[in-house]
Amino acid sequence: MTSKTLDHFLQENLEDLKSRGLYNEIDPLQGANGPVITINGKKLVNLSSNNYLGLATDERLKKVAIEAVKEYGVGAGAVRTINGTLDLHVKLEEKLAKFKGTEAAIAYQSGFNCNMAAISAVMDKNDAILSDELNHASIIDGCRLSKAKIIRFGHSDMEDLRAKAKEAKESGQYNKIMIITDGVFSMDGDVCKLPEIVEIAEEFDIMTYVDDAHGSGVLGKGAGTVKHFGLSDKVDFQMGTLSKAIGVVGGYVAGTQNLIDWLKVRSRPFLFSTSLTPADVTACTEALDLIMNSTELQDNMWENSRYLKEELTKLGFDIGNSETPITPVIIGEEQATQDFSKRLYEEGVYAKSIVFPTVPRGTGRVRNMPSAAHTKEMLDQAIAAYEKVGKEMGII
Ligand SMILES: *Cc1c(COP(=O)(O)O)cnc(C)c1O
């Protein structure tokens, strides 16, 4: 017998979501998450993964991961601080520090986990966090967990940030203050105004934390948004994920040796959750080597995104102001956006719709993530589908 209260709660809320068209049905992939995927037996050009460099299915990564399983097994066996730190983890962290140009780095089991871990290890109820209003959910949750006062500033609004930073500093109410921002914002593909953020932080002696989930492997010749702006020695926390451009799973913070030493004794997911598997860690290390030794994958990704954006613009679509491969096609009205995405699916293209409340009402978009792994033929197929559906629905 299950609890009546729970049954009632679930029934009511699931029905409510379904009646409002907000219940998300998940389509499992039959096979790998590559540039072409199969769902319900149907082959689709995949424009919805964060697998920017195509590394999720890279043969070189697969090979080293298989070797790691043979030598180390499938699990790390414990949390990092008991005996779940393999030499493989140390090697990955050294590589991450080199990749980011910092003294040290610490790896976590996911990017989400990393934000939960790192923010609350440093900030507490006597502190304040200035947070961009469009920051990722994991930042929001990490900030909440810390119990610090959360002060939201308008998206990339530097005047607002300056005013709020000044006010927080001059109030004398807080022991420590931190500014936290996404490096690249995933809904529009715009880049944070890091030089101004660093300037404000220096003026008021405030810490800086950049979540570069969508910038690492993409901007700054792969090293990310902070490197892109030449500010590697000015940002306190360079957080990133190993699940997007790196193609595997995991998260990390790169920073000074002292910061990393502190996180290793104070961040709870590091202390109380089993570490990344040998295969994951080894594949991540290989991915970093590939990115640091050649720009070939990034060059392909940028060329593919340039091509996709150019062709969609030529067709007359509004693709917003993205500065990265993220390519939103703004449709507007919520239902029309969902219908558009559904029609693309029927035409053999997998591109998800993103609507209110994830983005402001009336700015529904179909988001496209071109990668290094797409061929010109795949992109042409997607562009042809966009043209057909766009004309059919009177968008272009
Ligand atoms: C995806 C994402 C994360 C979470 O990373 P995972 O490794 O998938 O847990 C955190 N922050 C931002 C900005 C992201 O886009």
Side-chain angles (χ1 to χ4, degrees):
M1 264 297 271
T2 53
S3 147
K4 274 212 178 74
T5 316
L6 176 62
D7 284 346
H8 184 73
F9 166 82
L10 296 175
Q11 189 75 19
E12 193 173 9
N13 286 288
L14 284 169
E15 265 169 24
D16 174 57
L17 283 181
K18 285 176 186 167
S19 73
R20 290 192 290 140
L22 295 175
Y23 182 77
N24 184 31
E25 296 277 359
I26 295 170
D27 315 312
L29 306 195
Q30 295 156 319
N33 195 335
V36 174
I37 52 177
T38 307
I39 294 174
N40 289 324
K42 186 178 169 71
K43 280 208 178 337
L44 298 143
V45 175
N46 172 21
L47 287 172
S48 284
S49 300
N50 300 313
N51 180 22
Y52 287 105
L53 301 175
L55 289 172
T57 55
D58 189 279
E59 292 303 328
R60 294 161 290 190
L61 269 63
K62 283 159 72 172
K63 183 160 171 283
V64 297
I66 290 164
E67 282 162 12
V69 169
K70 286 185 181 153
E71 192 177 344
Y72 289 82
V74 292
V79 304
R80 288 287 303 272
T81 49
I82 307 283
N83 65 0
T85 296
L86 310 173
D87 52 2
L88 301 175
H89 293 97
V90 178
K91 206 169 141 201
L92 171 63
E93 288 170 338
E94 284 169 1
K95 190 82 57 178
L96 282 167
K98 209 164 147 212
F99 180 52
K100 290 287 161 174
T102 58
E103 287 174 16
I106 178 172
Y108 292 95
Q109 302 88 340
S110 77
F112 200 108
N113 206 338
C114 186
N115 280 334
M116 303 296 282
I119 301 168
S120 60
V122 172
M123 305 303 280
D124 63 35
K125 64 180 182 351
N126 300 310
D127 300 328
I129 302 174
L130 295 149
S131 177
D132 188 289
E133 65 180 344
L134 293 190
N135 276 344
H136 189 259
S138 59
I139 298 181
I140 296 169
D141 287 8
C143 291
R144 283 184 186 148
L145 188 64
S146 77
K147 299 198 175 71
K149 167 81 178 168
I150 299 164
I151 303 168
R152 293 192 344 153
F153 60 92
H155 174 51
S156 284
D157 182 343
M158 293 298 111
E159 248 173 69
D160 192 33
L161 173 61
R162 172 179 291 277
K164 285 173 175 162
K166 188 167 191 285
E167 191 186 332
K169 188 73 188 178
E170 288 174 357
S171 76
Q173 253 179 291
Y174 308 111
N175 287 345
K176 304 193 280 311
I177 307 175
M178 172 190 275
I179 301 173
I180 188 160
T181 183
D182 278 22
V184 172
F185 291 88
S186 60
M187 294 303 145
D188 290 293
D190 55 323
V191 180
C192 72
K193 294 181 179 159
L194 197 58
E196 289 95 323
I197 290 174
V198 164
E199 200 184 293
I200 293 167
E202 286 190 332
E203 184 177 342
F204 299 106
D205 184 26
I206 292 176
M207 290 177 249
T208 46
Y209 187 122
V210 175
D211 173 341
D212 211 21
H214 285 276
S216 289
V218 176
L219 293 175
K221 293 209 162 43
T225 306
V226 176
K227 181 76 177 294
H228 167 75
F229 286 112
L231 293 167
S232 299
D233 57 341
K234 304 271 187 182
V235 169
D236 298 303
F237 296 74
Q238 289 196 55
M239 176 269 167
T241 177
L242 299 166
S243 64
K244 289 179 177 142
I246 307 298
V248 192
V249 72
Y252 58 89
V253 175
T256 62
Q257 187 66 53
N258 272 345
L259 172 65
I260 303 312
D261 288 347
W262 178 252
L263 294 178
K264 284 184 175 172
V265 294
R266 273 296 179 277
S267 52
R268 293 167 70 82
F270 189 86
L271 297 164
F272 299 111
S273 180
T274 300
S275 44
L276 284 164
T277 72
D280 293 331
V281 175
T282 308
C284 288
T285 306
E286 179 72 12
L288 292 173
D289 274 333
L290 293 176
I291 295 171
M292 287 193 281
N293 291 334
S294 161
T295 61
E296 190 190 335
L297 294 173
Q298 284 138 50
D299 295 344
N300 290 348
M301 171 195 65
W302 283 106
E303 171 53 24
N304 280 342
S305 56
R306 185 202 61 76
Y307 181 70
L308 181 68
K309 284 178 177 175
E310 195 172 285
E311 295 302 313
L312 290 172
T313 306
K314 266 195 225 158
L315 286 174
F317 286 106
D318 171 7
I319 61 162
N321 299 308
S322 172
E323 301 165 75
T324 61
I326 297 169
T327 306
V329 168
I330 317 282
I331 306 293
E333 203 259 318
E334 284 63 39
Q335 191 57 52
T337 309
Q338 279 162 348
D339 293 346
F340 200 102
S341 167
K342 218 164 132 207
R343 282 289 297 119
L344 286 176
Y345 183 98
E346 288 160 7
E347 296 296 327
V349 177
Y350 195 84
K352 279 285 205 189
S353 59
I354 299 175
V355 298
F356 180 81
T358 307
V359 294
R361 209 181 277 284
T363 71
R365 76 270 322 263
V366 176
R367 190 177 60 161
N368 303 280
M369 311 291 270
S371 78
H374 289 98
T375 62
K376 189 105 179 299
E377 291 67 35
M378 294 171 194
L379 295 177
D380 282 337
Q381 193 188 327
I383 292 156
Y386 262 98
E387 182 172 14
K388 182 171 179 192
V389 176
K391 284 182 175 157
E392 180 186 298
M393 290 184 59
I395 308 279
I396 53 169

